[in-house]
Amino acid sequence: MQKKQTSVDELISFILEGIEEVKGNNISLLDLREIENTVCDYFIICNGTSNTHVNAIVGSIQKTVSKKLKDKPWHVEGSDNSEWILMDYVNVVVHVFQKQVREYYDIEGLWGDAKVTMIENSFK
């Protein structure tokens, strides 16, 4: 059982590394484990400044996780318009938004019972 948790921790770490590699903004980690009937254990939410930046963040996450863990997302949604791309790694779901779309949908507000950790960008 401990091995599974370590791999989730590693997955989160490498997802964050992928986001920071291309300067993703306003990174939040939502821990959903204490909330009943959730579809996953964690949300990672960040935003980019344009369609191109959002696509670069998603590409960087996929490349980093694939290289380090030999894993790929189970499902990716939203790549057509790149305003909100969802990457489903089963236990961890990544939401990459454009800033205005993130503010509109307010995922953090919808999941207000989750424990939220703001991740400081290392490039600042």
Side-chain angles (χ1 to χ4, degrees):
M1 190 72 173
Q2 185 61 31
K3 186 173 181 355
K4 181 182 176 192
Q5 185 60 40
T6 301
S7 67
V8 170
D9 291 342
E10 284 179 334
L11 176 60
I12 290 169
S13 174
F14 294 132
I15 289 170
L16 295 175
E17 182 180 317
I19 294 169
E20 290 187 345
E21 183 73 27
V22 290
K23 298 180 172 48
N25 300 314
N26 304 318
I27 306 166
S28 298
L29 174 65
L30 278 66
D31 184 342
L32 308 172
R33 293 175 297 175
E34 299 295 318
I35 301 172
E36 288 185 33
N37 302 321
T38 58
V39 294
C40 64
D41 293 336
Y42 296 95
F43 281 166
I44 297 177
I45 305 171
C46 70
N47 57 268
T49 55
S50 66
N51 293 17
T52 305
H53 191 205
V54 167
N55 280 323
I57 293 167
V58 169
S60 179
I61 292 168
Q62 287 179 318
K63 181 179 170 186
T64 303
V65 171
S66 175
K67 183 177 176 183
K68 306 276 180 144
L69 293 179
K70 309 286 189 253
D71 197 3
K72 61 182 182 179
W74 178 71
H75 186 71
V76 177
E77 214 173 288
S79 299
D80 294 342
N81 65 11
S82 302
E83 291 182 352
W84 174 6
I85 298 179
L86 180 143
M87 304 173 72
D88 186 348
Y89 281 96
V90 183
N91 287 335
V92 180
V93 174
V94 183
H95 300 269
V96 184
F97 288 98
Q98 287 191 39
K99 188 176 194 279
Q100 71 278 9
V101 177
R102 181 178 183 174
E103 290 169 355
Y104 179 80
Y105 286 103
D106 186 26
I107 297 290
E108 291 95 336
L110 290 173
W111 291 91
D113 293 343
K115 180 182 174 208
V116 179
T117 305
M118 298 301 295
I119 308 297
E120 289 294 321
N121 297 54
S122 60
F123 60 84
K124 288 187 177 179

